[in-house]
C-alpha cells in the first residue's frame, strides 16, 4: 500500500513527465499528429487513384462481389486505395505484395524452376500470380500487377524498362491480361501510382465487360 501511495504521489508532483515523448505527442516541427493526419488525408490516395478505387468499390458493392490483390511494383498501393474506400470490409478479401522472388515461393505457389526461368514481368506471369492468390483468398476477382517502376532498368528487354507494367484480372468465369508503358520514364513514385490506377481500371473494364457479354471473358487486351 505504501508503495502504491508513494508512486501516485510522485506522479502527482511531476505531472509534466507523463506522456511527453515527442513520438507520442507531436510530429515533425511540433505539429500535432492529428493535424498532420487531417492534412495528409486530402492527399491520399491521389485523386485519379482514389477515383479508380471508388469506381471498383461501387461496382463490387452493387454486385455483392469481392476482390483480392497480388501486386509487386505498385508496392501495396492497389490494396491501400481499395481499403481507403468506406465499407471496404464488404469487398476486400486481402492482398499480397509479392515484390521479391522469394515471396512468390512462400505465398504464390512459385518453385525454384519459376525463378530460374524468370525474365521480367509478363501478362501471363502476372495472370498466374493472380490466379494463385485468388485460389487462396477466395475473392470473386483477383487483380495482379508486376512492372518496372525505375528509376533504372532491370534488364535490356522492353519489359524491364522503367514504366513497363503487366496486369491481369482473374474472375470466376474468365480472365484478362494486358501490358502497357506509362510513358513516365524513371519516375519511380509516379510509375507506382500509374501502375495502381491502370490495374484498377482493368478491374472496372473487366467487370463491365462481363455484364455486357453474359459473364464469359478471357484473353489479352
Amino acid at each position: 500500500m505504501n508503495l502504491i501511495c508513494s508512486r501516485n504521489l510522485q506522479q502527482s508532483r511531476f505531472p509534466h513527465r507523463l506522456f511527453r515523448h515527442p513520438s507520442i505527442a507531436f510530429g515533425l516541427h511540433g505539429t500535432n499528429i492529428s493535424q498532420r493526419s487531417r492534412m495528409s488525408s486530402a492527399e491520399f490516395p491521389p485523386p485519379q487513384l482514389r477515383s479508380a478505387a471508388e469506381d471498383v468499390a461501387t461496382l463490387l458493392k452493387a454486385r455483392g462481389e469481392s476482390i483480392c490483390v497480388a501486386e509487386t511494383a505498385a508496392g501495396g498501393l492497389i490494396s491501400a486505395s481499395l481499403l481507403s474506400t468506406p465499407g471496404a470490409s464488404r469487398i476486400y478479401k486481402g492482398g499480397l505484395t509479392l515484390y521479391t522472388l522469394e515471396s512468390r515461393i512462400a505465398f504464390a505457389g512459385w518453385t525454384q524452376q519459376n525463378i530460374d526461368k524468370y525474365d521480367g514481368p509478363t501478362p501471363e506471369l502476372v495472370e498466374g500470380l493472380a490466379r494463385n492468390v485468388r485460389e487462396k483468398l477466395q475473392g470473386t476477382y483477383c487483380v495482379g500487377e508486376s512492372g518496372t517502376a525505375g528509376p533504372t532498368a532491370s534488364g535490356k528487354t522492353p519489359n524491364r524498362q522503367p514504366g513497363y507494367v503487366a496486369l491481369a484480372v482473374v474472375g470466376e468465369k474468365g480472365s484478362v491480361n494486358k501490358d502497357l508503358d506509362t510513358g513516365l520514364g524513371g519516375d519511380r513514385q509516379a510509375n507506382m501510382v500509374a501502375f495502381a490506377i491502370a490495374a484498377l481500371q482493368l478491374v472496372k473494364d473487366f467487370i463491365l465487360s462481363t455484364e455486357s457479354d453474359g459473364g464469359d471473358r478471357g484473353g489479352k487486351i
Side-chain angles (χ1 to χ4, degrees):
M1 178 66 71
N2 290 338
L3 178 61
I4 295 174
C5 292
S6 175
R7 183 174 297 170
N8 289 340
L9 179 61
Q10 185 179 23
Q11 290 179 347
S12 66
R13 287 177 178 172
F14 305 104
H16 59 283
R17 291 185 179 178
L18 302 178
F19 307 107
R20 295 295 294 175
H21 193 284
S23 66
I24 298 174
F26 295 95
L28 294 175
H29 308 300
T31 303
N32 186 277
I33 286 178
S34 63
Q35 292 175 341
R36 290 176 60 81
S37 297
R38 284 196 295 272
M39 288 188 291
S40 62
S41 66
E43 302 164 3
F44 182 84
Q48 194 174 354
L49 179 55
R50 181 185 307 170
S51 177
E54 289 173 348
D55 286 348
V56 169
T58 298
L59 280 172
L60 292 173
K61 290 173 187 174
R63 295 162 61 96
E65 295 177 333
S66 62
I67 191 168
C68 52
V69 180
E71 59 191 310
T72 74
L77 286 175
I78 302 172
S79 284
S81 62
L82 288 168
L83 287 170
S84 74
T85 63
S89 60
R90 292 165 50 193
I91 61 155
Y92 182 79
K93 297 289 283 186
L96 294 170
T97 302
L98 301 165
Y99 189 72
T100 64
L101 301 183
E102 292 79 7
S103 67
R104 298 174 195 182
I105 290 179
F107 302 112
W110 273 33
T111 65
Q112 186 60 46
Q113 185 178 12
N114 294 116
I115 291 182
D116 292 341
K117 293 182 177 180
Y118 181 73
D119 193 27
T122 65
E124 293 74 21
L125 180 153
V126 173
E127 184 171 326
L129 292 176
R131 194 174 301 280
N132 190 285
V133 172
R134 181 180 174 273
E135 289 175 0
K136 288 181 170 64
L137 297 180
Q138 296 296 299
T140 310
Y141 310 98
C142 185
V143 56
E145 169 276 328
S146 187
T148 304
T152 58
S154 60
K156 296 182 179 180
T157 55
N159 64 332
R160 292 195 152 191
Q161 305 308 305
Y164 173 89
V165 65
L167 305 165
V169 180
V170 177
E172 294 177 338
K173 297 182 179 180
S175 62
V176 66
N177 63 59
K178 67 181 291 185
D179 57 1
L180 59 89
D181 191 312
T182 65
L184 295 170
D187 190 331
R188 185 176 181 84
Q189 290 84 4
N191 276 323
M192 291 173 69
V193 173
F195 293 170
I197 292 169
L200 290 168
Q201 288 176 338
L202 185 62
V203 174
K204 177 182 176 180
D205 292 345
F206 182 75
I207 294 174
L208 293 176
S209 71
T210 60
E211 290 180 346
S212 62
D213 62 18
D216 293 319
R217 179 67 189 266
K220 186 172 183 177
I221 60 174

